[in-house]
Amino acid sequence: MPTDPDTGYDPSLGRKFVFVTGGVMSGLGKGITAASTGRLLANAGFDVTAVKVDPYLNVDAGTMNPYEHGEVYVLKDGGEVDLDLGNYERFLGTDMTFDHNVTTGKTYQHVIERERAGDYLGKTVQIIPHVTDDIKRRIREAAEGSDVCLVEIGGTVGDIESMPFLEALRQFAHEEDDEDILFTHVTLVPYSKNGEQKTKPTQHSVKELRSIGLQPDVLVGRCEDRLDPETKEKIALFCDVSTEAVFSNPDVEDIYHVPLMVEDEGLDEYVMERLGLTDEALPEAERSTEWRELVTRDREEEIDVALVGKYALEDAYMSIHEALKHAGIHTETEVNVLWVDADETTDRHEERLASADAVVVPGGFGSRGTDGKIEAVRYARENDVPFLGLCLGFQMAVVEHARNVLGLEGAHSAEIDPDTSHPVIDLLPSQYETEDMGGTMRLGAHETDIEPGTLAAAVYDADSCTERHRHRYEVNPEYIEALEADGLAFSGRADNRMEILERPNHPFFLGTQAHPEFRSRPDRASPPFVSLVEAALESTDTTERNADVRL
């Protein structure tokens, strides 16, 4: 099929596609199901990539509230995207780009800009073909060069926001050979009060999908336990698929065990068979087992890490949770995360903070919770507790030092207090004239030079590092000399930007302007997180430390 001259859509890009939709309710785990399938395909020797489709009108996730949407994940090219892209990077072991996230806002913005530029030569611009062709174009371009592209459609079938995307998938099915495309539908299979697995929600969800013109090839039932054989047969009968195409995805203690679960169900073998990839796959004896070995590794030690943040929602700090988990895998340590509400650090969470073996102060925006974060930094500094500050946590460590060590009364970040007499953290020079909030921060991967012989050099075992950033404010150059005069050292710099700080006379005190959690993987744990866990393991016994803590 030739490229459409009006829309620029080229249907020849890409090779094999697996589309993953969801029904009944959101948050079922479509992304984890897709990522787990991709992990198994990668184990079998295939080059796998992924695309996340988000039906919201935002161009990207950069301005979205973490309470509504979880963390904003940052890609190496600076794309601010849905947190599911983080799961894809962690499961597939690959770096995505902003092109791997398709939103309604991004698509409509592009189509409208082309219309304003006259690219459509006066034709009436419509959902079909202009918007749907742009959706298909984006998916195919992101898939180019891969063996298999997993495409997750956000939201739930039946949502009005998803309709253009589902229509694009219907067209996709007409353009592809049957063995080049696979539709997977993830649904909820709840229990009734008498303990029966109920299939009616799945039936209604598939009915909704079929009314759009899409017939699922694979059904994945999310349930507390594996689906009973009778449940699978009933779903197959009423949803017009074979029983062999119905799979269980039961609850597990750790999301990294989902690939093991769906492998036991045979989902990967079924997908390869339907896509005509069985003969190209590595023999089972030659497939990678590294993932299984990593996620089932025994934990010999156990520590508690206090995470001092202001969003009482685990998804808001997902990458930090995962990075701590990866560090635990690397060090064979069970890492328990203790939530400490930065708003209530001194009122309700003293004991939780005092019982922790290490403290992490994460990033964030706005003034709420900053006083609690500063107090957490002070506690870690004064009590020799291993500390890791990330982005805003790095900045609050600078503020705490300025206030409590140097005696600069009222020192703060100009972001939090524009009238502070000592703006030790100030706006990036490049941000002074910025008006739009979306996509205008210092974003993406940037290199930092590390001073030899420092803690940072030992952490990274190198004289430089590359980490992802997301910030507007930085250490004010006017205060650097004063800040370094009494116990604080900036050991990582990018030109005149202060990137890493440490306290040479502290067992482990490290802050970074970057977000190292975004590059952490199960098989490539982030160095700052690994070093934090190792320092916690080497620290004094918790009960001994609690005897003389100062809060």
Side-chain angles (χ1 to χ4, degrees), residues 158-208:
D159 295 345
I160 190 170
E161 295 91 347
S162 301
M163 295 305 293
F165 295 99
L166 296 174
E167 168 59 24
L169 300 197
R170 188 192 67 78
Q171 296 174 20
F172 224 109
H174 282 279
E175 297 169 0
E176 295 290 337
D177 295 333
D178 288 344
E179 67 174 20
D180 289 339
I181 192 167
L182 186 78
F183 287 98
T184 299
H185 192 56
V186 182
T187 70
L188 177 68
V189 181
Y191 279 106
S192 64
K193 288 187 177 181
N194 64 1
E196 179 186 2
Q197 292 178 337
K198 305 301 291 183
T199 67
K200 190 63 71 174
T202 298
Q203 295 178 40
H204 281 293
S205 179
V206 172
K207 181 180 179 181
E208 183 77 31

Side-chain angles (χ1 to χ4, degrees), residues 53-370:
V53 172
D54 286 304
Y56 46 68
L57 277 170
N58 305 64
V59 174
D60 58 38
T63 60
M64 299 179 77
N65 189 324
Y67 270 126
E68 291 187 13
H69 206 68
E71 76 174 1
V72 176
Y73 189 80
V74 180
L75 301 170
K76 66 178 183 180
D77 64 358
E80 296 173 285
V81 297
D82 181 87
L83 58 82
D84 281 315
L85 270 293
N87 283 324
Y88 286 122
E89 287 202 338
R90 289 186 283 267
F91 274 70
L92 301 181
T94 186
D95 290 340
M96 303 287 178
T97 69
F98 193 39
D99 290 338
H100 291 85
N101 191 206
V102 180
T103 70
T104 298
K106 186 188 289 189
T107 298
Y108 276 68
Q109 183 184 57
H110 177 73
V111 170
I112 291 171
E113 286 175 350
R114 291 196 62 193
E115 184 274 328
R116 291 289 81 188
D119 290 351
Y120 298 121
L121 303 177
K123 291 189 176 181
T124 302
V125 181
Q126 298 175 294
I127 301 297
I128 304 172
H130 300 92
V131 171
T132 52
D133 274 5
D134 192 72
I135 293 168
K136 292 184 292 180
R137 174 187 64 81
R138 292 178 183 276
I139 292 172
R140 290 190 184 277
E141 289 180 356
E144 187 175 10
S146 65
D147 295 322
V148 181
C149 180
L150 303 158
V151 184
E152 177 195 351
I153 309 299
T156 305
V157 170
D159 295 345
I160 190 170
E161 295 91 347
S162 301
M163 295 305 293
F165 295 99
L166 296 174
E167 168 59 24
L169 300 197
R170 188 192 67 78
Q171 296 174 20
F172 224 109
H174 282 279
E175 297 169 0
E176 295 290 337
D177 295 333
D178 288 344
E179 67 174 20
D180 289 339
I181 192 167
L182 186 78
F183 287 98
T184 299
H185 192 56
V186 182
T187 70
L188 177 68
V189 181
Y191 279 106
S192 64
K193 288 187 177 181
N194 64 1
E196 179 186 2
Q197 292 178 337
K198 305 301 291 183
T199 67
K200 190 63 71 174
T202 298
Q203 295 178 40
H204 281 293
S205 179
V206 172
K207 181 180 179 181
E208 183 77 31
L209 190 64
R210 294 174 73 176
S211 71
I212 301 169
L214 299 175
Q215 169 61 41
D217 302 298
V218 172
L219 290 171
V220 178
R222 286 283 293 112
C223 190
E224 292 180 22
D225 306 295
R226 292 182 186 270
L227 300 182
D228 297 330
E230 297 80 8
T231 303
K232 288 187 175 184
E233 291 175 3
K234 189 172 182 180
I235 289 174
L237 175 64
F238 285 96
C239 297
D240 199 23
V241 298
S242 66
T243 306
E244 291 72 24
V246 182
F247 297 90
S248 304
N249 188 354
D251 294 346
V252 293
E253 291 184 1
D254 188 335
I255 60 171
Y256 294 145
H257 290 174
V258 176
L260 314 185
M261 185 64 66
V262 297
E263 184 178 35
D264 291 342
E265 285 276 310
L267 177 59
D268 55 326
E269 296 294 341
Y270 188 84
V271 169
M272 285 189 285
E273 180 183 350
R274 285 298 305 265
L275 292 176
L277 294 173
T278 302
D279 292 340
E280 299 180 37
L282 292 172
E284 286 193 37
E286 298 179 17
R287 295 181 189 178
S288 174
T289 60
E290 182 183 14
W291 184 273
R292 180 178 291 272
E293 293 165 359
L294 282 172
V295 302
T296 59
R297 182 178 292 174
D298 291 336
R299 308 293 196 270
E300 302 294 335
E301 304 287 346
E302 184 173 359
I303 63 169
D304 296 330
V305 176
L307 178 60
V308 186
K310 68 176 183 177
Y311 303 114
L313 176 71
E314 184 170 332
D315 279 0
Y317 302 105
M318 177 178 285
S319 291
I320 295 174
H321 280 271
E322 297 308 307
L324 287 168
K325 192 186 300 182
H326 304 159
I329 292 173
H330 182 85
T331 59
E332 299 184 357
T333 303
E334 188 68 36
V335 180
N336 304 312
V337 178
L338 306 180
W339 169 249
V340 177
D341 192 326
D343 273 344
E344 303 176 345
T345 301
T346 57
D347 295 331
R348 290 178 49 197
H349 288 251
E350 302 99 326
E351 294 183 4
R352 183 171 292 183
L353 186 62
S355 69
D357 302 299
V359 174
V360 175
V361 177
F365 294 91
S367 61
R368 188 173 65 83
T370 52

